[in-house]
């Protein structure tokens, strides 16, 4: 990838290229396409939020209707990379001080043909019409509209306790094996499906926020917390006769993360959720979601020490060593160890690592949090016991581990693994500083996978297999299958399981992308979502981990756009 070229050089080069040459040059990069598809999947919920148009006399004229259309396109396709305020995130800044100098014709070329550094060729690919390319070239020269702030008053206005704690069951009122329930995101309907892992039957379809990003469990395993991209948090009581919502709140306008207090003596006491917009997190009561404390994350970046106005809260986990939440702030590259033992006198340890912190998971001891600084192509290791950075490892292009995968390598001992959005490598990082100090926080091996576009990698302590998906790969043969490795014979390469084919879905043009391997509690089954469009058939495929053969397929008209699914026991106990 020719990532060292500046925006200006790229624009000049593209403007000078013949149409066919520049189109091929901009469009032949599968890796950036996967990232763009990921960042822009479904668009930002902020596209529907009312914002004020600030008319800049230096900018090209735009009617209010044109401005609103441009804003909608921007938040659907561009904000994930360039930021809400266009200050730049994983993509370049697109603020008026830059765009006005470039001019409309210059920007039209850039938007139309894309760039070798990763900008998609929105025009020549057919994603945007000629009129829309012109519209967006004019839109990015306008003053960026700022979404409204969202504080305690706004949160309390959305907070609902549907079933108060005193009216909830005092014991489990159903016969379900709760520890083997799967919480499955039905992305485009704003729901989660609770599926019985034993019988493979749907227990309930629960209304939630839009495009639920993750499901997390309380320390006791009784309550399930989910957060939608629209920042709505739902709390589901698994003890009810039919598990359902007991509380809900909206903590912002866009979000991705939620978790609960896990440290001894604080089990189920607090919940915490982080927002993309506004850039902040909120600590809530664990039994009602009543908001208690809102904390902003705007501040200086870890590298250039420059102020960033919208550092998004990415992943959050709860420490097992202290009463702390581990809060990762994307654009500033900082991990915040937030002590919740006294939230009125909140103490925070700030740990700097690398910018663009995203997702991650614990090592096998649950002491070290391994978090991907995705656009920096690094994995940071945070010591939750000592409260400091202990490792920063260079890996492949755009690591995206989900929570990663822990296993014992035959040669290097305990390792944690991540796949990548941007290349076909699987990075193995040593995680045992006590018995394997030379390997600790080092890239000890790289496996070759089917390709880029990977979102999740998974194994289990009782399994000898390692599964890697590639749902955003451009080749349907790859995106509709999964690679599986024998942990004890990694040099043998991978075997491909045709999950999409096994789903037996109709040939209706659905994407059938295979996403997120997830084990059952026993560790002898692996579940995969086969994800198609809202108007196409989807399914969940269950594979026998011992034989790598199809075990069953779960189909139901209510399983609309299933994506992530989270086993209660494994999520509660950080088994991955």
């Amino acid at each position: 990838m020719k990532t060292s070229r500046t925006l200006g050089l790229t624009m000049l080069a593209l403007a000078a290229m013949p149409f066919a040459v520049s189109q091929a040059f901009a469009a032949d990069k599968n890796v950036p396409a996967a990232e763009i598809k990921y960042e822009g999947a479904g668009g930002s919920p902020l596209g529907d939020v009312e914002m004020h148009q600030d008319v800049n006399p230096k900018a090209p004229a735009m009617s209010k209707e044109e401005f609103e259309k441009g804003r909608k396109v921007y938040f659907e396709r561009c904000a994930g990379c360039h930021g809400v305020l266009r200050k730049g995130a994983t993509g370049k800044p697109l603020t008026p001080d830059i765009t006005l100098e470039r001019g409309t014709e210059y920007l039209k070329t850039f938007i139309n043909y894309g760039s070798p550094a990763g900008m998609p060729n929105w025009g020549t690919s057919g994603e945007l019409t000629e009129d829309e390319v012109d519209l967006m070239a004019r839109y990015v020269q306008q003053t960026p509209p700022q979404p409204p702030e969202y504080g305690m008053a706004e949160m309390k206005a959305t907070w609902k306790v549907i079933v108060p704690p005193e009216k909830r069951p005092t014991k489990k009122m159903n016969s379900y094996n709760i520890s083997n329930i799967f919480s499955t995101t039905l992305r485009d309907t704003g729901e989660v499906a609770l599926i019985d892992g034993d019988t493979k039957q749907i227990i309930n379809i629960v209304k939630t926020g839009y495009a639920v990003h993750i499901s997390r469990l309380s320390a006791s395993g009784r309550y399930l917390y989910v957060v939608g991209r629209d920042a709505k948090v739902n709390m589901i009581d698994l003890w009810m006769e039919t598990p359902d919502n007991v509380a809900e709140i909206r903590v912002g306008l866009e979000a991705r993360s939620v978790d609960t207090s896990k440290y001894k003596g604080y089990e189920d006491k607090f919940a915490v959720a982080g927002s993309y917009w506004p850039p902040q997190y909120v600590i809530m009561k664990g039994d009602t979601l009543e908001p208690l404390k809102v904390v902003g994350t705007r501040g200086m970046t870890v590298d250039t020490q420059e102020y960033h106005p919208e550092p998004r809260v990415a992943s959050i986990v709860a420490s097992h060593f202290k009463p702390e939440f581990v809060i990762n702030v994307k654009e500033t590259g900082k991990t915040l160890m937030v002590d919740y033992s006294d939230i009125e006198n909140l103490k925070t340890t700030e740990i700097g690592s690398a910018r663009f912190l995203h997702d991650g998971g614990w090592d096998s001891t649950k002491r070290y949090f391994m978090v991907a600084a995705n656009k920096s192509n690094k994995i940071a290791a945070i010591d939750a016991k000592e409260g400091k950075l202990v490792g920063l490892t260079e890996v492949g292009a755009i690591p995206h581990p989900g929570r990663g995968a822990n296993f014992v390598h035959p040669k290097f001992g305990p390792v944690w693994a991540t796949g990548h959005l941007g290349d076909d490598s699987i990075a193995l990082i040593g995680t045992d500083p006590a018995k394997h100090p030379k390997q600790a926080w080092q890239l000890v091996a790289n496996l070759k996978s089917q390709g880029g576009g990977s979102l999740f990698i998974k194994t289990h302590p009782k399994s000898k297999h390692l599964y890697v998906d590639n749902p955003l790969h451009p080749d349907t043969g790859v995106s509709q299958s999964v690679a599986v490795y024998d942990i004890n014979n990694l040099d043998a390469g991978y075997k491909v399981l045709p999950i999409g084919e096994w789903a037996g879905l109709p040939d209706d043009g659905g994407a059938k992308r295979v996403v997120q391997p997830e084990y059952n509690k026993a560790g002898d089954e692996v579940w995969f979502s086969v994800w198609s469009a809202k108007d196409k058939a989807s399914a969940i495929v269950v594979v026998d981990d011992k034989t790598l053969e199809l075990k069953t397929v779960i189909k139901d008209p209510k399983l609309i756009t299933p994506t992530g699914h989270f086993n209660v026991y494994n999520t509660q106990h950080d088994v991955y």
Side-chain angles (χ1 to χ4, degrees):
M1 291 179 63
K2 302 179 182 180
T3 54
S4 61
R5 297 192 181 194
T6 64
L7 176 61
L9 288 174
T10 296
M11 292 292 296
L12 287 170
L14 285 170
M17 287 181 183
F19 173 86
V21 175
S22 61
Q23 181 183 20
F25 194 49
D28 66 352
K29 306 295 183 183
N30 290 334
V31 169
E35 182 192 6
I36 296 300
K37 193 182 294 184
Y38 170 72
E39 292 285 5
S44 166
L46 293 174
D48 296 324
V49 175
E50 185 175 348
M51 300 182 202
H52 176 66
Q53 179 181 2
D54 181 5
V55 178
N56 185 341
K58 296 181 180 180
M62 291 192 84
S63 67
K64 183 176 181 180
E65 291 74 21
E66 286 181 315
F67 182 84
E68 283 302 308
K69 183 177 180 181
R71 186 174 71 84
K72 188 171 182 62
V73 171
Y74 180 82
F75 280 103
E76 285 179 349
R77 301 177 185 271
C78 314
C81 283
H82 297 286
V84 170
L85 303 178
R86 305 209 308 262
K87 292 282 189 178
T90 55
K92 299 282 188 181
L94 292 175
T95 46
D97 60 315
I98 297 170
T99 55
L100 282 169
E101 183 180 338
R102 303 297 188 225
T104 302
E105 292 304 314
Y106 197 77
L107 293 166
K108 282 169 66 174
T109 302
F110 181 58
I111 296 167
N112 196 44
Y113 295 119
S115 82
M119 173 75 170
N121 54 322
W122 292 112
T124 58
S125 68
E127 292 285 338
L128 295 180
T129 66
E130 184 177 342
D131 287 344
E132 287 172 331
V133 168
D134 176 75
L135 177 77
M136 294 311 296
R138 288 182 289 132
Y139 174 80
V140 296
Q141 296 176 72
Q142 312 297 317
T143 302
Q146 179 165 323
E149 297 297 319
Y150 199 94
M152 182 64 78
E154 289 80 7
M155 291 181 197
K156 286 194 171 181
T158 69
W159 171 48
K160 298 178 183 177
V161 180
I162 300 162
V163 182
E166 63 272 16
K167 293 186 178 180
R168 296 174 197 164
T170 56
K171 62 180 180 179
K172 189 165 79 80
M173 301 299 291
N174 58 62
S175 59
Y176 301 117
N177 178 9
I178 286 177
S179 61
N180 199 34
I181 288 175
F182 286 75
S183 174
T184 298
T185 298
L186 305 182
R187 188 185 185 282
D188 293 340
T189 64
E191 298 168 323
V192 295
L194 302 180
I195 304 176
D196 188 329
D198 294 349
T199 67
K200 313 299 188 289
Q201 299 297 308
I202 295 175
I203 296 169
N204 195 16
I205 303 289
V206 181
K207 283 290 181 185
T208 61
Y210 169 73
V212 164
H213 193 66
I214 57 172
S215 298
R216 292 292 180 258
L217 271 295
S218 64
S220 66
R222 172 177 179 173
Y223 293 112
L224 176 71
Y225 299 77
V226 301
V227 61
R229 288 183 60 161
D230 58 0
K232 185 177 181 181
V233 178
N234 289 78
M235 179 182 178
I236 299 168
D237 187 354
L238 299 177
W239 277 15
M240 295 170 67
E241 186 173 353
T242 301
D244 209 336
N245 286 314
V246 292
E248 64 180 42
I249 189 172
R250 195 173 182 192
V251 297
L253 298 175
E254 186 172 1
R256 297 292 189 281
S257 51
V258 68
D259 212 333
T260 65
S261 51
K262 300 288 198 302
Y263 189 66
K264 186 176 181 180
Y266 294 89
E267 296 93 338
D268 296 18
K269 186 172 182 179
F270 296 114
V272 61
S275 299
Y276 268 28
W277 189 270
Q280 61 193 30
Y281 63 88
V282 57
I283 299 174
M284 301 162 280
K285 284 187 177 180
D287 60 350
T288 64
L289 299 183
E290 179 184 356
L292 302 173
K293 187 90 169 181
V294 185
V295 183
T297 55
R298 292 178 172 98
M300 315 308 283
T301 61
V302 72
D303 47 6
T304 58
Q305 299 288 298
E306 294 177 289
Y307 178 76
H308 201 290
E310 52 168 309
R312 299 173 284 184
V313 177
S315 54
I316 299 176
V317 294
S319 172
H320 299 270
F321 283 85
K322 297 177 183 178
E324 290 181 335
F325 291 125
V326 184
I327 296 177
N328 297 282
V329 185
K330 197 176 184 78
E331 277 71 27
T332 53
K334 296 175 181 178
T335 297
L336 309 178
M337 312 294 286
V338 178
D339 184 340
Y340 54 73
S341 63
D342 181 1
I343 64 171
E344 293 303 319
N345 301 285
L346 203 65
K347 297 182 179 69
T348 301
T349 300
E350 180 184 288
I351 302 170
S353 53
R355 292 185 67 187
F356 312 118
L357 296 177
H358 190 61
D359 206 357
W362 295 108
D363 80 308
S364 59
T365 68
K366 301 180 180 60
R367 172 173 174 173
Y368 303 100
F369 186 66
M370 311 292 289
V371 58
N374 57 9
K375 201 62 176 181
S376 297
N377 301 333
K378 293 178 173 67
I379 299 294
I382 307 296
D383 184 344
K385 184 176 181 180
E386 298 296 332
K388 64 181 181 181
L389 177 74
V390 293
L392 193 59
T393 310
E394 291 275 354
V395 292
I398 317 172
H400 193 286
R403 306 203 90 178
N406 289 299
F407 61 93
V408 178
H409 191 281
K411 180 178 179 182
F412 302 116
V415 297
W416 179 90
T418 180
H420 298 82
L421 270 167
D423 65 29
D424 64 359
S425 68
I426 298 170
L428 307 186
I429 299 171
T431 59
D432 185 6
K435 296 181 180 179
H436 298 81
K438 291 183 178 180
Q439 284 76 41
W441 327 126
Q442 302 299 311
L443 179 66
V444 298
N446 258 324
L447 307 180
K448 184 177 176 61
S449 73
Q450 291 196 86
S454 176
L455 292 181
F456 297 99
I457 185 169
K458 192 64 67 77
T459 188
H460 189 279
K462 295 180 181 178
S463 172
K464 69 170 187 175
H465 293 127
L466 176 70
Y467 297 85
V468 183
D469 69 13
N470 299 91
L472 300 185
H473 196 281
D475 184 338
T476 56
V478 177
S479 65
Q480 295 181 7
S481 64
V482 67
V484 56
Y485 300 77
D486 183 340
I487 288 171
N488 298 317
N489 188 18
L490 293 169
D491 292 339
Y494 56 82
K495 179 178 180 179
V496 176
L497 304 185
I499 303 297
E501 178 184 325
W502 285 352
L505 295 173
D507 188 14
D508 57 3
K512 302 181 179 67
R513 288 173 287 192
V514 175
V515 63
Q516 193 160 346
E518 176 77 351
Y519 283 82
N520 64 345
K521 177 185 177 181
D524 57 11
E525 290 178 356
V526 188
W527 291 37
F528 301 89
S529 287
V530 182
W531 169 28
S532 284
K534 187 175 182 179
D535 60 344
K536 307 295 183 184
S538 293
I540 293 172
V541 171
V542 182
V543 171
D544 187 313
D545 180 61
K546 298 294 188 293
T547 65
L548 300 182
E549 295 177 353
L550 174 65
K551 191 166 185 178
T552 190
V553 179
I554 304 173
K555 296 179 184 178
D556 192 289
K558 295 188 290 290
L559 288 179
I560 299 170
T561 58
T563 51
H565 39 259
F566 303 85
N567 176 267
V568 164
Y569 182 87
N570 293 335
T571 304
Q572 176 190 359
H573 297 281
D574 295 310
V575 177
Y576 39 82

